[in-house]
Amino acid sequence: MGSKNKLKRFKENETFKNVIQPTREEVQEGFKHKGLWKSYFGNDNPIIVELGCGKGEYTIGLARKEQNKNFIGIDIKGARFWKGAKTALEEGLDNVAFLRTQIELVDMIFGANEVSEIWITFPDPQIKYKRTKHRMTNKVFLEKYKAVLEPKGVVNLKTDSEFMHGYTLGLLQGLGLEVLYANHDVYKNEGSPDEVLDIQTFYENQYLEKGKPITYIQFRVN
């Protein structure tokens, strides 16, 4: 994407009513929406969060399917989720918001028990050992999810990385956390939820064309 195109998207994001772009300092010093997201949406519907939402395809796909729930896509790259934000506005999806900030601040963005469900779709597996701290299902991140999820809230991990799938399952077992469902090839093995099969991102389609299996885990952290 050219720099001019990026700048154009950044400017458009500033005009979108469904895009929030706080500074890191604003989040760390007391984010104004923390604990008040239901007021932001104007209803008491459950809040579902996609971390590292990219172009917002999964956030939008889920919001279309379940309009009695609120969805928030989070990514630091605003030029990417521009498309999702624009699509939500064009389709009148009032149950969608996009937040431009760092994923590791998730426990500063939401209050305790404020989130019903978290989706992590095709994250960088950070395979090298020295990158473990950036892996989105490491122990530190799991503690952050626990801090914001409601009791019995769930985390969904959908990935093309067999390493990430295996690492996460092993960690969850070691920590004694509840795995609700696991599938190492969702399109060959039956049983995955409809939202796992019916929504496909641009990158997921590329992985499928290369014959890579898509894996999925749903688990609890509290």
Side-chain angles (χ1 to χ4, degrees):
M1 186 189 302
S3 58
K4 287 185 178 179
N5 202 17
K6 279 187 178 181
L7 290 173
K8 181 182 177 182
R9 292 184 175 188
F10 287 144
K11 284 291 184 183
E12 283 196 47
N13 277 346
E14 292 175 4
T15 70
F16 291 164
K17 65 178 183 180
N18 60 356
V19 172
I20 305 166
Q21 302 187 92
T23 65
R24 187 180 181 96
E25 290 71 25
E26 287 174 333
V27 173
Q28 292 176 318
E29 293 172 6
F31 187 45
K32 65 180 181 179
H33 294 298
K34 181 177 180 179
L36 300 171
W37 280 102
K38 290 187 176 179
S39 296
Y40 171 87
F41 285 105
N43 58 57
D44 290 325
N45 294 338
I47 292 172
I48 318 298
V49 175
E50 184 187 7
L51 298 175
C53 67
K55 296 181 180 181
E57 296 151 302
Y58 233 90
T59 297
I60 294 296
L62 291 168
R64 287 174 180 146
K65 291 173 70 71
E66 300 186 78
Q67 297 194 24
N68 61 337
K69 296 180 181 180
N70 299 316
F71 295 87
I72 303 171
I74 300 177
D75 206 296
I76 192 58
K77 297 186 177 180
R80 284 188 183 174
F81 68 58
W82 165 87
K83 183 176 181 180
K86 189 176 180 68
T87 298
L89 292 174
E90 291 173 346
E91 296 185 12
L93 294 171
D94 295 328
N95 61 332
V96 178
F98 288 92
L99 179 64
R100 183 174 182 262
T101 194
Q102 292 86 356
I103 294 168
E104 65 267 22
L105 302 181
V106 62
D107 54 339
M108 300 181 186
I109 296 165
F110 302 100
N113 306 325
E114 192 168 23
V115 177
S116 296
E117 195 169 347
I118 291 173
W119 280 84
I120 305 169
T121 53
F122 303 97
D124 187 331
Q126 308 287 359
I127 293 175
K128 293 183 178 179
Y129 178 76
K130 65 181 180 180
R131 300 290 297 175
T132 302
K133 65 180 180 180
H134 299 290
R135 213 171 286 156
M136 288 180 62
T137 55
N138 68 27
K139 189 174 180 180
V140 173
F141 270 110
L142 294 182
E143 287 295 325
K144 290 176 182 287
Y145 306 153
K146 182 178 180 179
V148 302
L149 280 166
E150 66 184 20
K152 302 298 183 181
V154 299
V155 180
N156 303 277
L157 172 66
K158 187 178 183 184
T159 176
D160 65 303
S161 171
E162 294 180 59
F163 167 82
M164 186 73 165
H165 183 79
Y167 164 82
T168 303
L169 280 178
L171 182 61
L172 295 173
Q173 182 178 13
L175 295 173
L177 298 176
E178 183 180 8
V179 175
L180 300 172
Y181 181 81
N183 192 329
H184 68 274
D185 194 337
V186 299
Y187 296 109
K188 286 187 178 180
N189 303 320
E190 296 181 357
S192 293
D194 290 343
E195 58 267 29
V196 174
L197 303 174
D198 294 347
I199 304 172
Q200 294 182 356
T201 69
F202 171 79
Y203 292 110
E204 181 175 356
N205 284 318
Q206 287 190 330
Y207 301 143
L208 290 171
E209 287 176 4
K210 294 177 181 177
K212 296 188 73 174
I214 304 300
T215 72
Y216 171 70
I217 310 171
Q218 184 180 74
F219 59 94
R220 290 197 175 110
V221 291
N222 51 17

